[in-house]
Amino acid sequence: MKVIYPGSFDPVTNGHLDIITRCSEKFDEVIISVLNNNKKNSIFTVDERIELIKESTLHLKNIQIDSFSGLLTEYAKRKNCSTIVRGLRAVSDFEYEMQMALVNRKLYPQLETIFMVSSSKVSFLSSSVVKEIASFKGEISCFVPEIVEAALIEKFKGGTR
Ligand code: COA
């Protein structure tokens, strides 16, 4: 089965990698799709985000990394894929995810959304939390892969952004 794991990934964290790794074990093909959204104030460009995911998933063989803009449902149709995976970290994620899954199914009735429960050791993580800690020069090595840690240190070298 081929699945799409979409998100902003600004940047990818160990929380995303937990989901990606488990997807790669369960599904034949995993397309990690980076949202190209001008409305979100991203600190990494789409190309940088793709590169960080690529470097963090070199050990996984059935992964493709791509980007998309516009509706996820239209992108999934173009990719000939009718299964989306989303991670659920806590009950607080559920309402938003449920709404998104229902809207997406309305737009593309064949589309299934599969929810994967985050591992408890990373379920508190988000990209914003990691960026906040990095901006104050805090320790982030246990939250992100080494390559992402280095990229964040570089971004915040001159102080908070
Ligand atoms: N581990 C750690 N963090 C996680 C996580 C996990 N398993 N899953 C999500 N997160 C975090 C992300 O880091 C992000 O944190 P941040 O807000 O601090 O940056 C936050 O949860 C939201 O993550 P993300 O998965 O990137 O969701 P999103 O809401 O930014 O984007 C899309 C979700 C891309 C699927 C959705 O916006 C989309 O489909 N957009 C296209 C337009 C569209 O079709 N809209 C209609 C849909 S209703």
Side-chain angles (χ1 to χ4, degrees):
M1 193 199 285
K2 174 160 82 172
V3 300
I4 292 174
Y5 178 46
S8 304
F9 305 107
D10 185 44
V12 66
T13 68
N14 290 344
H16 300 121
L17 289 170
D18 161 53
I19 303 288
I20 293 169
T21 306
R22 286 160 53 207
C23 277
S24 91
E25 287 162 4
K26 287 276 173 262
F27 304 112
D28 304 311
E29 214 180 313
V30 183
I31 308 175
I32 304 168
S33 304
V34 177
L35 177 66
N36 187 354
N37 183 355
N38 296 335
K39 280 186 226 142
K40 266 204 166 180
N41 217 350
S42 308
I43 69 159
F44 291 100
T45 66
V46 171
D47 287 344
E48 287 172 331
R49 285 182 264 158
I50 288 178
E51 194 51 37
L52 292 174
I53 299 171
K54 210 176 266 176
E55 293 291 329
S56 310
T57 55
L58 288 175
H59 57 295
L60 303 173
K61 297 291 167 235
N62 52 347
I63 300 282
Q64 277 180 54
I65 304 148
D66 193 16
S67 64
F68 76 104
S69 46
L71 286 177
L72 178 61
T73 46
E74 291 308 309
Y75 170 75
K77 285 179 199 167
R78 285 200 299 281
K79 284 284 168 188
N80 208 10
C81 181
S82 57
T83 312
I84 301 291
V85 173
R86 295 285 292 164
L88 279 184
R89 290 165 296 173
V91 178
S92 49
D93 280 343
F94 185 73
E95 209 169 325
Y96 169 66
E97 293 296 337
M98 177 88 175
Q99 182 192 29
M100 206 158 56
L102 290 173
V103 170
N104 284 337
R105 198 197 289 156
K106 200 83 186 158
L107 296 173
Y108 177 7
Q110 290 78 27
L111 191 76
E112 283 296 346
T113 302
I114 295 179
F115 295 115
M116 206 172 248
V117 175
S118 288
S119 301
S120 54
K121 56 184 190 299
V122 286
S123 62
F124 57 88
L125 269 179
S126 75
S127 297
S128 302
V129 159
V130 172
K131 284 183 280 194
E132 169 122 353
I133 299 168
S135 75
F136 294 114
K137 316 274 184 260
E139 179 62 46
I140 50 169
S141 59
C142 50
F143 304 139
V144 290
E146 247 173 68
I147 182 97
V148 176
E149 181 188 10
L152 279 167
I153 289 171
E154 183 62 29
K155 281 278 174 200
F156 290 108
K157 213 165 53 183
T160 53
R161 291 165 53 97

